[in-house]
Amino acid sequence: MEYKNETVSIEGGWPMEHWQWKFESLALIRKTLEALREKKLLGLKCPGCGLVYFMPKPYCRCLSIPDEWVEVKDTGTVTTYTFTGAWAYEGIADEGPAGTPLIIVGIVLDGTDTMTVCTLSDAKPEDVSVGMRIRLQWPENPEGKLEDLAYCVPL
Amino acid sequence: MDKEVAIIGYAQTPYEADAEASREMQVLEVTKAALAAAGLKREQLDTVITANNDYLDGRTISNMRLVEPSGAWQKNESKVEMDGAYAALYALMRILSGDHGIAMVVGESQASVYGGYIPGTMMLDPTFDRQRGLLNEVSASALQARAYMNACGVSEEQLAGVAAKNLANAAKNPLALRADGKADVKKVLSSRLLYSPIRELMASPLCDGACAVVLASGKVAAKSGNPVWIKGVGFSHDSYLSERSLAEMSSLKDAARRCYAMAGIEDPASQLDLAEVHECFAHEELMAYEALGLCAAGEGGAFFDSGTTSMDGSLPVNASGGALAANVACAAGLARIIEAAMQIRGEAGDHQVKGVRTAVAHGQTGICAQENIIYVLGGE
């Protein structure tokens, strides 16, 4: 097995930029992102089972197509959480500032039925609990990007 | 199912952090060993099903180079890109069709090649979760752990207890990668924190390895020595992690219901002698106790504390050390089937449990155990 660590290069490439995946969800998410500029949160409701998806999703487990835009609140409830240790492991790097745990919360916004993952700021790990109420922390001037939804704070 | 399909041979490589051999040579090794164990020649195989993954292999058609090593040359061959326990399902159905008598089932992958947890992020929702960069296999499972612990009053000490039990069991399994005969709650809790509450020793080690099972129709199996019969199978698929309760394994519960109905299991805790569970993280074993009906809903922690699932309990779980001892993607669930069959045959050596007649084996695929499959196996 003496060749084990050798790499053999072959001329050529795999041009992923030529791939043109199709995601209906992109158009839906663009609408939700656009609304963020006005500090509005748009979820998508399923006509079949009534589930409200946030983020929006183009298909439902009941085989219906969610198509009703509903404005949801920027408050919600923590359904689960985790926080990081301060090291790297198996390719996963701790991206928080050294020594400061990053608190990741699963939240369900009021008026929605699906979980969104977000970073909790203004809190220490020992302050977090399942069931705690939170509010999204809007940036002063939302730019209509996913980053506008990056943080929430205890309510 | 009554004596329709049986396991008549099996083999596993040792599980290693960085195997010297390639995947092809590891598959060749287990294929030959499983054939020898079944007393068969390659020519007698009717069909071959492998479990592997293009993304993990880094090349398309990941089964292409396994045709010869898996014994499939000029034979009826196919693959699944899921756990090997699903490859066994595919082979089982081919035999039940009546068109095939003997099947080779192989599962394999090499984490040393694909690089840790990085590929797991490709299981995330591409438009939102993958962009956010907060979730990966470990952090998502940490959210699952916390949701479960909160709903069922489970402590970090109980998660550590599961890990300590499995790592101590693994010390008697010569194929295990991670094993520690002196593991205890304190040692697990002092291993480094990955994502609270998951610590390093509560997370399965990714590793290299392969395993193979020979399945045969009742007619063939009846003539072989010591067949292990498939008494039932059930499988179920759940929603993506943000659209279901992470506090329970509802798809495993559904799979168990279907499987037990087929196998005639009405009271799993008393009718089963052993379970091999595919726990990628310690908390998933407790969640599986509940989903498999070994204890009441919400009682996973207390059931563990009762000692029932330890090596000297009445229903040992993961006598092999489970996936916390070795978790080869695409093979770990198939390895649970092998370990359960080994126990029924009385071939488990130092980790043999006495008097195992009926056992359950579990495999899972997907982030936060999105899809689950279980088998009930039994001897004569």
Side-chain angles (χ1 to χ4, degrees):
Chain A
M1 293 298 133
E2 58 196 296
Y3 299 114
K4 187 180 163 201
N5 292 320
E6 281 189 20
T7 302
V8 178
S9 298
I10 298 169
E11 290 290 319
W14 191 3
M16 296 300 282
E17 68 269 21
H18 293 177
W19 257 249
Q20 294 190 25
W21 282 298
K22 295 172 184 175
F23 290 118
E24 282 82 0
S25 47
L26 282 181
L28 301 177
I29 283 174
R30 261 184 217 120
K31 187 171 169 82
T32 292
L33 293 181
E34 273 302 310
L36 295 180
R37 292 174 192 270
E38 288 144 43
K39 298 193 179 179
K40 275 187 185 170
L41 296 169
L42 292 183
L44 199 56
K45 187 173 178 178
C46 172
C49 64
L51 275 185
V52 175
Y53 288 90
F54 187 88
M55 301 297 279
K57 184 171 169 169
Y59 51 84
C60 185
R61 59 194 177 202
C62 74
L63 288 184
S64 301
I65 295 174
D67 60 357
E68 184 191 344
W69 290 98
V70 289
E71 192 172 340
V72 300
K73 292 183 178 163
D74 65 356
T75 52
T77 303
V78 171
T79 58
T80 184
Y81 64 90
T82 183
F83 51 87
T84 55
W87 37 65
Y89 180 72
E90 295 281 6
I92 295 170
D94 170 23
E95 291 180 5
T100 307
L102 174 74
I103 305 172
I104 301 169
V105 288
I107 57 172
V108 175
L109 291 174
D110 294 337
T112 73
D113 296 295
T114 61
M115 186 180 83
T116 311
V117 175
C118 185
T119 301
L120 182 72
S121 56
D122 295 351
K124 291 176 186 156
E126 55 268 31
D127 301 332
V128 196
S129 63
V130 174
M132 89 185 267
R133 300 282 296 157
I134 52 86
R135 182 189 295 280
L136 282 179
Q137 190 178 46
W138 290 101
E140 210 166 303
N141 296 304
E143 293 178 45
K145 293 178 176 174
L146 280 178
E147 286 74 17
D148 298 337
L149 300 170
Y151 298 99
C152 64
V153 291
L155 193 62
Chain B
M1 287 201 294
D2 186 27
K3 300 198 172 174
E4 292 177 67
V5 179
I7 294 164
I8 61 166
Y10 49 75
Q12 304 178 78
T13 59
Y15 297 108
E16 300 169 273
D18 186 4
E20 183 68 17
S22 67
R23 60 197 281 271
E24 291 83 11
M25 298 311 283
Q26 290 204 306
V27 168
L28 182 73
E29 177 191 335
V30 292
T31 299
K32 284 173 78 168
L35 277 172
L40 295 174
K41 292 193 167 75
R42 193 192 79 85
E43 290 69 25
Q44 292 169 276
L45 291 176
D46 296 310
T47 185
V48 176
I49 313 289
T50 63
N52 39 80
N53 184 299
D54 293 1
Y55 194 76
L56 299 184
D57 188 40
R59 292 171 286 197
T60 186
I61 322 175
S62 51
N63 52 331
M64 179 171 59
R65 299 190 66 218
L66 295 180
V67 169
E68 293 87 352
S70 64
W73 177 64
Q74 291 199 343
K75 288 188 186 291
N76 175 313
E77 179 268 352
S78 191
K79 77 157 177 179
V80 299
E81 294 228 9
M82 294 158 91
D83 188 88
Y86 283 89
L89 171 69
Y90 194 164
L92 168 66
M93 293 195 285
R94 283 194 157 178
I95 292 172
L96 289 173
S97 76
D99 290 341
H100 307 276
I102 301 173
M104 174 66 72
V105 183
V106 176
E108 60 81 23
S109 69
Q110 296 195 330
S112 64
V113 171
Y114 64 74
Y117 287 113
I118 298 299
T121 57
M122 297 306 280
M123 292 192 282
L124 296 168
D125 167 71
T127 49
F128 185 67
D129 285 338
R130 213 184 291 165
Q131 316 293 332
R132 299 298 292 275
L134 296 174
L135 292 184
N136 51 57
E137 276 173 88
V138 185
S139 62
S141 298
L143 295 179
Q144 180 194 34
R146 183 60 66 187
Y148 169 65
M149 291 164 76
N150 183 71
C152 299
V154 168
S155 67
E156 291 187 31
E157 285 73 14
Q158 286 169 318
L159 303 192
V162 171
K165 168 182 77 71
N166 291 359
L167 295 176
N169 289 354
K172 294 185 174 174
N173 175 0
L175 302 178
L177 168 62
R178 186 182 278 167
D180 183 353
K182 291 179 182 166
D184 59 17
V185 168
K186 194 179 163 196
K187 204 165 183 176
V188 175
L189 286 179
S190 60
S191 66
R192 54 189 184 155
L193 183 68
L194 305 180
Y195 285 91
S196 168
I198 296 177
R199 291 176 182 273
E200 186 175 4
L201 294 180
M202 298 175 191
S204 54
L206 298 170
C207 57
D208 297 356
C211 60
V213 169
V214 181
L215 293 182
S217 66
K219 207 169 142 190
V220 176
K223 289 182 218 153
S224 77
N226 219 355
V228 174
W229 298 100
I230 295 177
K231 306 230 171 197
V233 62
F235 48 101
S236 182
H237 204 139
D238 217 325
S239 310
Y240 181 66
L241 64 93
S242 59
E243 293 159 27
R244 61 179 150 121
S245 166
L246 292 177
E248 61 171 341
M249 284 184 169
S250 47
S251 64
L252 179 55
K253 191 175 173 183
D254 187 41
R257 181 179 57 76
R258 295 164 197 265
C259 179
Y260 292 160
M262 197 184 287
I265 301 284
E266 286 164 4
D267 180 8
S270 69
Q271 287 175 268
L272 298 171
D273 302 311
L274 175 128
E276 279 285 330
V277 166
H278 185 179
E279 80 310 11
C280 293
F281 298 90
H283 65 275
E284 289 184 345
E285 181 170 314
L286 299 177
M287 296 178 80
Y289 293 166
E290 300 181 22
L292 292 173
L294 308 183
C295 64
E299 296 293 320
F303 186 64
F304 172 75
D305 288 342
S306 74
T308 309
T309 62
S310 60
M311 274 303 265
D312 55 1
S314 60
L315 177 42
V317 176
N318 287 334
S320 65
L324 291 184
N327 189 17
V328 175
C330 299
L334 188 61
R336 306 278 71 73
I337 294 174
I338 293 175
E339 287 288 343
M342 198 189 275
Q343 291 283 352
I344 290 166
R345 279 188 167 190
E347 294 177 350
D350 287 346
H351 64 290
Q352 180 67 47
V353 173
K354 276 185 191 161
V356 178
R357 290 185 311 273
T358 308
V360 65
H362 161 231
Q364 62 152 296
T365 302
I367 205 154
C368 293
Q370 189 169 351
E371 51 199 329
N372 289 278
I373 181 165
I374 74 160
Y375 291 82
V376 169
L377 306 176
E380 288 294 353

